[in-house]
Amino acid sequence: MKARKNLEAENPSNTSKGFFRVVLEKPFGHDTDSCKELLQSLSDQEWPEEELYRIDHYLGKEMVQNILTLRQHNPWLGALWNKHVIQSVHLIWKEDIGTEGRGGYFDPYGIIRDILQNHLLQVLTLVAMEPPSKWTSDEIRNAKVDVLKAMPTIELKDCLLGQYDGYKDDPTIENRETVSPTYACIQTKVNSSRWEGVPFIMEAGKALNERVCEIRLHFRGQDDGSEFDGMSQPNALVIRLQPTPKVFFTANLKTPGFSSTPASTHLGVDYESHLDDIPDAYTRLLLDVMRAQQENFVRDDELIEAWRVFTPVLHETEKNKVGPLPYARGTSGPELRQDFLNGMGVTQPWLPPASAL
C-alpha cells in the first residue's frame, strides 16, 4: 500500500502548503527481525526517513536533554569525560512498585525490552558519543549510531536477572511459570578510544527500594586507594532524571568547626523550584515534530544497531527459559547484586549523602 502517495492524491491542493510527519511510539519490534519488518513496512508505504519521528519519551526529559548541553557548553568537562578519569558509568532505573495489574502487558516483554533496550540505551549513547563537528540533527544521530556500533553483543554472562517475590500473583499474568525478569543489571563496553576498558552498567528493576532514575559517572581515585580510608567517599557526577531533576558532583569537604574529618556532600543544581517551568517530555517532543527537529527521535539505523546489541541474549534467555533470581520487594535487587557489580570492576559502591536524596 502506497500510503503516502494515496494521501497526496487525496489532497493535491494541500501538499505544496503543508507537510507530512508520522509519529511512531515504541515498541519498535521485539527483536532484530521484527524491527526490520516494521522498517520495511514503512518503506513499502514510501515514507521517507525525514518524515518519520520515532518517539522515546526519555529523550524529551529535561535532564536527558541537559546531557548534550553540559558537554557542549562546558569545555572543562571534556578533560574529565574519558577513560583516564572515569572508572565506570552506571545508568539506573528503579521503581518502588511492581506491575500492579499491568503484568499481562509487561510479561511478554520483560524489563530488558521495556527499559534497557530503549530508554537506558538511548541515554547511554548521549553520554558516550563523541562531540560532533556540528551539533545538527544528523550529526548528533550519526554520533549515537557510532556508539552503538562500538558496543559488543551482550552475552548471558554479562547479565544478572531477577524477579520479585509475588510477581506471578498478578492476576493479569496468564503464564504462572513465567521467567520474565522484572530486574536486570547488564554490563557492556563502548570500544572507542575515549571509553576503552570502562564498564557501562545498565540497571533497571521493579518493586525495589526506591523510585529513581539517574546517571552516575564514577571518577577514578588514587591508584593505591589511599583516599578511601573509611572517611572519604568516591567522587561522582550524578545526573538525576527523576523523581526530581538534579545534577551534582559528590565531594569530600572538611567538617565545619574544629574537626578536619572529611564530610561527603554534593555541589550542584536542584530543579525542584523550577518544576512548573519544565514541560512534559511528550509536549517537548511533539513541538519538535512541528518544528521538524529530529535530533531527539530514533533513526532507523539506530534501531537496528540497538536490537543487534540485545537480540541474542533475549533469544537465549527465552529459548532456554533462564530462571531469574528471586528478590524481596523493597530491596535493591537479588542478593548477588553487589558481588556482580564488584566482578565488573565496580568495587567502590557510591553511597549518596543524605543531603543528595
Side-chain angles (χ1 to χ4, degrees):
M1 181 178 67
K2 310 296 185 184
R4 191 182 183 301
K5 283 191 173 181
N6 290 342
L7 286 172
E8 284 185 321
E10 291 174 4
N11 301 276
S13 62
N14 293 331
T15 54
S16 61
K17 301 176 183 178
F19 53 81
F20 292 109
R21 285 169 200 158
V22 179
V23 180
L24 303 166
E25 176 64 279
K26 80 173 185 79
F28 307 117
H30 60 270
D31 60 9
T32 299
D33 289 343
S34 59
C35 175
K36 288 181 177 180
E37 288 178 11
L38 288 173
L39 295 178
Q40 187 59 51
S41 174
L42 292 168
S43 177
D44 291 343
Q45 296 175 53
E46 299 188 355
W47 291 106
E49 185 63 28
E50 60 268 22
E51 293 179 351
L52 299 175
Y53 293 75
R54 300 178 187 88
I55 279 188
D56 184 324
H57 75 278
Y58 266 59
L59 293 177
K61 286 183 175 289
E62 182 73 17
M63 297 312 295
V64 173
Q65 299 211 336
N66 239 327
I67 295 170
L68 293 186
T69 302
L70 273 172
R71 298 188 61 187
Q72 182 182 3
H73 296 286
N74 297 283
W76 59 272
L77 270 179
L80 307 179
W81 216 271
N82 59 71
K83 63 186 178 184
H84 302 296
V85 181
I86 294 174
Q87 176 185 345
S88 62
V89 180
H90 201 162
L91 299 100
I92 302 171
W93 183 96
K94 300 169 71 174
E95 274 193 346
D96 55 2
I97 60 172
T99 53
E100 314 301 334
R102 294 182 64 251
Y105 167 80
F106 174 86
D107 195 65
Y109 295 96
I111 198 70
I112 296 177
R113 286 188 177 94
D114 195 38
I115 302 297
L116 281 81
Q117 188 273 338
N118 39 73
H119 301 326
L120 291 189
L121 188 60
Q122 283 294 315
V123 174
L124 186 154
T125 62
L126 294 174
V127 172
M129 63 180 257
E130 290 298 312
S133 56
K134 296 180 180 179
W135 293 85
T136 63
S137 295
D138 283 342
E139 291 298 314
I140 290 172
R141 297 202 290 181
N142 288 343
K144 290 170 63 184
V145 172
D146 288 342
V147 171
L148 294 171
K149 288 182 176 179
M151 293 175 64
T153 298
I154 291 170
E155 300 179 23
L156 190 57
K157 65 180 177 61
D158 302 318
C159 307
L160 177 68
L161 306 178
Q163 186 185 93
Y164 68 83
D165 297 335
Y167 168 70
K168 298 175 186 178
D169 296 333
D170 187 317
T172 63
I173 296 176
E174 295 181 0
N175 179 14
R176 295 302 170 184
E177 303 301 319
T178 178
V179 292
S180 184
T182 60
Y183 168 92
C185 185
I186 293 178
Q187 176 198 220
T188 187
K189 298 284 180 67
V190 177
N191 295 317
S192 65
S193 58
R194 180 184 296 271
W195 297 111
E196 182 181 6
V198 175
F200 282 74
I201 299 98
M202 293 181 283
E203 183 178 18
K206 291 181 175 290
L208 297 178
N209 56 340
E210 62 181 329
R211 176 179 176 264
V212 70
C213 182
E214 63 188 21
I215 309 154
R216 301 176 182 176
L217 290 88
H218 298 263
F219 296 112
R220 297 185 185 277
Q222 298 294 330
D223 291 340
D224 61 2
S226 59
E227 78 278 29
F228 304 125
D229 51 9
M231 294 188 294
S232 302
Q233 288 284 345
N235 301 117
L237 169 62
V238 181
I239 303 172
R240 182 167 295 170
L241 282 60
Q242 61 189 35
T244 301
K246 297 181 182 183
V247 56
F248 57 90
F249 286 93
T250 63
N252 297 295
L253 302 179
K254 175 185 171 298
T255 300
F258 292 107
S259 173
S260 60
T261 302
S264 183
T265 184
H266 74 288
L267 313 170
V269 178
D270 188 330
Y271 279 66
E272 187 168 13
S273 61
H274 301 284
L275 289 180
D276 291 340
D277 301 323
I278 298 176
D280 173 79
Y282 280 102
T283 299
R284 193 196 307 265
L285 292 174
L286 290 175
L287 182 59
D288 284 346
V289 172
M290 300 303 292
R291 292 172 170 172
Q293 295 176 345
Q294 290 191 301
E295 63 264 27
N296 296 314
F297 297 86
V298 185
R299 205 167 61 190
D300 54 357
D301 52 346
E302 278 186 78
L303 279 177
I304 292 172
E305 285 298 323
W307 279 119
R308 175 195 62 79
V309 171
F310 278 97
T311 291
V313 75
L314 287 167
H315 284 180
E316 181 178 357
T317 57
E318 290 164 352
K319 178 181 178 181
N320 298 327
K321 298 188 183 302
V322 175
L325 298 175
Y327 63 94
R329 279 178 172 265
T331 64
S332 60
E335 291 183 3
L336 292 179
R337 173 183 179 268
Q338 194 55 58
D339 289 340
F340 184 72
L341 291 174
N342 291 343
M344 293 186 293
V346 186
T347 56
Q348 299 168 349
W350 174 70
L351 301 175
S355 58
L357 297 176

